[in-house]
Amino acid sequence: MIIFPKELFPSEKYYEKELGKKRLKLLEKILRKLGNFDSLKNIEIIGEEYIKYDYRIYEIKDSDDTSFKFFNYGLGYGKSTERFNKNYYLIMQKKNSSFSYVYDFYYSHVADKSLEVIEISSKLSENRTLKIKEIYGKFRNLIIQENDKEYILFFESEDFLISMIEQIRNQLKELEDINLESLLRLVGGVENLFQAQIQIEKELKASIKFQNGEISEYQIVDENRKVETKINDTITRKTERKMEETEEIMKTEEIVTKNYERIQSELKRLFKQL
């Protein structure tokens, strides 16, 4: 069984309850499948880490010094299921490995499905992290996080990310400054890309869509203004502006096909400055 040593966790009570016991029993099954544990000994929690929003992560190590971490039980707030989903995440990192792997073991007990990796990540520095995430069974999502900013690239195929992750990691580690332009050079351009986003504290600040290697649409979100531009045979620019005096939203739309200076200025900001 999995145990919380009383000298380290004197106040841990949830896992003594029935639901907690069932979850730990399932987790133990997964741990013994993935790790190297003595079948005659209990698995002990060796430490915990506090992260923001009152999350805690517990850590276990096996005989090979492989680290396994899992989240404390919680449901989060509002309608988001993100926090609940993390109750069934197991983070594994082998000794001397540059990458950690996130397993989702929820479906292993509610359906006849095998254990699957949903995320691969690598911490490049104190403030910079690289992740690739699974979307509908394919690793199509590349995320570069630096402090509270995230650059998210969406790819057509998973083969590219899986085959390039080590190279991307090594080059990304050497980049002094990150912007969307430098990241696109790092992944070889936009040939396999269909969308890119920039988020700050999980709020969308900019996005750009590609079609056949060309920009088809982009969006920039400022504090009181959102600009959305679509590029087809004509270039259409929509603006939503929040009026400070009344807080009403004023919407405008214009054809700017020949006004390339404005488009180029916005794209320069999106690629180089955001």
Side-chain angles (χ1 to χ4, degrees):
M1 61 184 298
I2 296 176
I3 61 174
F4 290 78
K6 294 296 183 182
E7 62 272 19
L8 294 178
F9 307 98
S11 62
E12 184 54 73
K13 300 295 183 183
Y14 164 74
Y15 295 98
E16 296 176 1
K17 299 179 180 179
E18 188 61 27
L19 183 58
K21 288 179 180 179
K22 287 183 178 179
R23 182 164 171 262
L24 279 188
K25 188 175 181 180
L26 175 60
L27 181 59
E28 180 185 5
K29 180 180 177 181
I30 302 302
L31 284 168
R32 293 194 183 278
K33 180 178 180 179
L34 293 175
N36 182 12
F37 296 95
D38 189 328
S39 60
L40 300 179
K41 293 182 180 180
N42 292 326
I43 296 175
E44 289 194 5
I45 313 297
I46 63 170
E48 66 179 341
E49 175 187 352
Y50 287 86
I51 52 180
K52 61 182 180 180
Y53 308 128
D54 198 31
Y55 285 11
R56 280 176 289 166
I57 297 181
Y58 298 116
E59 184 175 18
I60 294 165
K61 286 192 176 182
D62 71 0
S63 301
D64 298 325
D65 211 21
T66 298
S67 169
F68 296 91
K69 295 180 180 180
F70 65 97
F71 288 86
N72 67 309
Y73 190 82
L75 297 177
Y77 302 94
K79 297 180 180 180
S80 172
T81 61
E82 180 183 0
R83 183 64 187 91
F84 171 78
N85 291 339
K86 287 184 177 180
N87 293 322
Y88 292 92
Y89 288 179
L90 180 64
I91 306 165
M92 181 188 80
Q93 184 161 9
K94 294 184 177 181
K95 185 178 180 180
N96 300 323
S97 174
S98 300
F99 295 95
S100 63
Y101 300 82
V102 179
Y103 289 86
D104 184 348
F105 60 90
Y106 178 76
Y107 288 106
S108 65
H109 84 288
V110 300
D112 186 20
K113 289 190 176 182
S114 59
L115 191 66
E116 63 175 10
V117 176
I118 61 167
E119 178 182 303
I120 302 171
S121 67
S122 181
K123 194 167 183 62
L124 306 175
S125 69
E126 188 64 30
N127 302 317
R128 187 179 295 181
T129 303
L130 162 69
K131 300 178 183 178
I132 63 171
K133 286 190 174 184
E134 169 260 357
I135 301 176
Y136 301 120
K138 304 287 186 181
F139 280 96
R140 296 175 174 170
N141 203 340
L142 173 66
I143 301 172
I144 295 90
Q145 182 175 349
E146 188 162 57
N147 297 316
D148 60 356
K149 182 184 289 187
E150 287 184 338
Y151 296 89
I152 307 170
L153 307 182
F154 300 84
F155 290 84
E156 298 283 358
S157 169
E158 71 167 336
D159 297 334
F160 175 80
L161 284 180
I162 294 295
S163 64
M164 292 282 288
I165 185 170
E166 187 76 47
Q167 180 179 327
I168 291 172
R169 178 191 180 277
N170 293 338
Q171 293 181 8
L172 186 60
K173 194 173 182 179
E174 300 300 320
L175 276 182
E176 184 175 348
D177 298 312
I178 291 180
N179 57 31
L180 189 55
E181 183 178 61
S182 65
L183 293 179
L184 291 180
R185 283 199 302 266
L186 187 148
V187 299
V190 301
E191 183 179 350
N192 296 305
L193 197 65
F194 70 88
Q195 188 177 9
Q197 292 182 354
I198 301 171
Q199 296 185 7
I200 298 178
E201 293 184 340
K202 300 299 183 181
E203 290 189 6
L204 182 67
K205 294 300 178 181
S207 68
I208 185 165
K209 293 182 179 180
F210 302 93
Q211 190 171 14
N212 299 322
E214 301 289 339
I215 298 170
S216 62
E217 182 179 331
Y218 67 87
Q219 178 177 288
I220 297 175
V221 183
D222 293 320
E223 184 177 357
N224 294 311
R225 187 186 69 158
K226 179 172 75 172
V227 176
E228 181 180 320
T229 303
K230 295 185 177 181
I231 303 173
N232 296 304
D233 294 334
T234 58
I235 302 176
T236 305
R237 187 175 182 273
K238 296 181 180 179
T239 304
E240 293 185 9
R241 191 185 303 272
K242 187 176 181 180
M243 308 303 293
E244 294 183 2
E245 299 82 2
T246 62
E247 293 195 352
E248 293 181 352
I249 302 297
M250 184 178 72
K251 299 182 180 181
T252 60
E253 181 175 345
E254 57 185 324
I255 304 298
V256 292
T257 304
K258 295 182 179 180
N259 193 348
Y260 290 113
E261 289 185 4
R262 177 184 289 180
I263 303 302
Q264 289 172 348
S265 175
E266 288 177 345
L267 286 174
K268 179 180 179 180
R269 182 181 172 213
L270 197 160
F271 279 102
K272 295 179 181 290
Q273 298 168 359
L274 286 173

